[in-house]
Amino acid sequence: MFTRILGTGGYLPEQIRTNADLEKMVDTSDEWIVERTGIRERRIASASETAAFMGAEAAKQALEDAGLEASEVGAVIVATTSGTNAFPSTACEIALKLGITAVPAFDVAAACAGFSYAYAMAHQMILTGMCQNVLVVGSDLLSHACDPHDRTTIILFGDGAGAVVLGRSETEQGTLAVRLSSDPSCAPLLKLPFPERGGFNDESWLYMKGNDVFRHAVVCLSKLVTETLEMAHVAPEELDFLVPHQANLRIIAATAKRLRLDMSQVIVTLDRQGNTSSASVPLALDEGIRTGRIKRGDVLLLESFGGGFAWGSALIRY
């Protein structure tokens, strides 16, 4: 028994925040942002575009792409750290919007690495025979968790949702390897406390010590991608595309260099979407597929790194 991706989907808010917009908010410039991050614009969710709303829209696309009805979904797993409620879970809210009932529905909190964790859990649920098809969603709106006066974070984050339907296959091995890891000792370097009752304040905004996070991400991802390929006995030259977490173009380039990949083999959405946290990998995957760059049979490496620290990967044949 194997697992393979049956369909993908994505959702991005309509509102765009450009670097020019940020120049009016904080002490920064388009040149400064592009040079350090590679980001030129990002999408910002409105009050009605919650994690559940965005996730449901992405999920509808994924189900349509997979040719499945909502009734054929055996579980809903949502990677998010920006749901509206502690409970019900965002997964339950999405299930309700889609008319999915009587199946497991739960959230996974692993920050920007959330989709990798959710994908791994869906993979195992299918292999154990618990489900035949699992809806995996990454949905976040961390732009709203950033101090609007802090240029180190407000320039990075955008909002959105991505989704995949992972299904059982008896003949095609779509998922070749998955790997997860964490280092909780680094938690103070990237942190988002729960807000006080009155909303976000100086003590509850998203905090990131950028340079330290950058160094850890480069080291951890370099090791991660090598170990993932070794698990599946796949050589770097057999990879068709890298689908990375969209946090920083320099981190993405360093990972590609480690794999000896040309940047033409890397799916990059960072310049137009910013860091959408748990949504960034499925959004990039969906764009790569819908634009025709990624085709059936291609070997892809999905990887992500986020707060916790937590990081993970999935090597797949699409």
Side-chain angles (χ1 to χ4, degrees):
M1 188 185 301
F2 307 113
T3 68
R4 61 188 292 263
I5 291 178
L6 305 179
T8 66
Y11 178 87
L12 291 167
E14 291 186 7
Q15 182 184 348
I16 296 175
R17 178 180 288 165
T18 67
N19 290 349
D21 295 327
L22 286 165
E23 289 175 353
K24 303 171 185 177
M25 298 171 59
V26 293
D27 180 18
T28 191
S29 68
D30 174 70
E31 181 181 9
W32 190 91
I33 296 171
V34 172
E35 179 183 349
R36 287 162 176 77
T37 69
I39 303 171
R40 297 183 182 276
E41 61 184 40
R42 65 291 289 149
R43 301 297 185 96
I44 307 299
S46 66
S48 61
E49 291 172 311
T50 63
F53 173 84
M54 296 191 298
E57 293 301 305
K60 290 174 186 176
Q61 283 191 8
L63 286 169
E64 181 180 359
D65 189 40
L68 295 177
E69 299 294 330
S71 59
E72 297 177 89
V73 173
V76 180
I77 308 176
V78 177
T80 187
T81 50
S82 47
T84 304
N85 304 300
F87 51 85
S89 67
T90 301
C92 282
E93 294 181 59
I94 289 175
L96 178 64
K97 291 178 183 294
L98 298 178
I100 299 172
T101 60
V103 304
F106 59 95
D107 293 350
V108 174
C112 296
F115 180 78
S116 295
Y117 274 65
Y119 186 100
M121 297 178 76
H123 173 62
Q124 292 299 327
M125 290 174 75
I126 294 171
L127 292 185
T128 61
M130 186 176 183
C131 306
Q132 180 164 329
N133 302 305
V134 179
L135 178 60
V136 185
V137 180
S139 183
D140 268 313
L141 51 156
L142 291 187
S143 72
H144 295 257
C146 297
D147 183 344
H149 305 294
D150 178 9
R151 72 173 186 172
T152 64
T153 57
I154 194 68
I155 67 170
L156 300 176
F157 291 94
D159 307 327
V164 305
V165 177
L166 195 65
R168 179 193 304 168
S169 173
E170 296 183 2
T171 57
E172 298 181 57
Q173 185 179 8
T175 306
L176 307 179
V178 292
R179 188 166 181 83
L180 304 174
S181 191
S182 68
D183 183 357
S185 69
C186 295
L189 300 177
L190 180 55
K191 191 172 184 179
L192 177 60
F194 282 117
E196 301 291 337
R197 287 181 179 272
F200 286 101
N201 57 42
D202 290 344
E203 301 300 321
S204 58
W205 294 117
L206 188 154
Y207 170 80
M208 181 176 66
K209 196 167 183 180
N211 290 335
D212 289 336
V213 174
F214 177 89
R215 286 193 292 269
H216 280 279
V218 170
V219 172
C220 291
L221 289 175
S222 294
K223 183 179 179 182
L224 172 70
V225 296
T226 300
E227 292 175 345
T228 307
L229 292 175
E230 289 175 351
M231 286 177 66
H233 305 291
V234 171
E237 53 268 25
E238 296 179 73
L239 276 179
D240 292 298
F241 285 99
L242 172 68
V243 185
H245 172 49
Q246 309 286 316
N248 183 293
L249 191 57
R250 291 183 295 169
I251 297 176
I252 293 173
T255 307
K257 183 178 180 180
R258 175 76 174 183
L259 294 168
R260 301 191 294 277
L261 293 177
D262 186 83
M263 285 301 290
S264 64
Q265 295 175 271
V266 183
I267 306 297
V268 178
T269 60
L270 176 75
D271 55 328
R272 292 159 286 116
Q273 298 176 14
N275 182 348
T276 54
S277 191
S278 67
S280 75
V281 171
L283 275 171
L285 176 64
D286 182 59
E287 177 172 303
I289 292 169
R290 291 181 185 273
T291 57
R293 292 179 65 190
I294 296 175
K295 298 177 175 60
R296 281 292 179 187
D298 284 349
V299 178
L300 319 173
L301 180 57
L302 285 55
E303 50 85 351
S304 56
F305 178 94
F309 284 159
W311 57 93
S313 63
L315 181 65
I316 67 172
R317 179 175 287 108
Y318 174 60

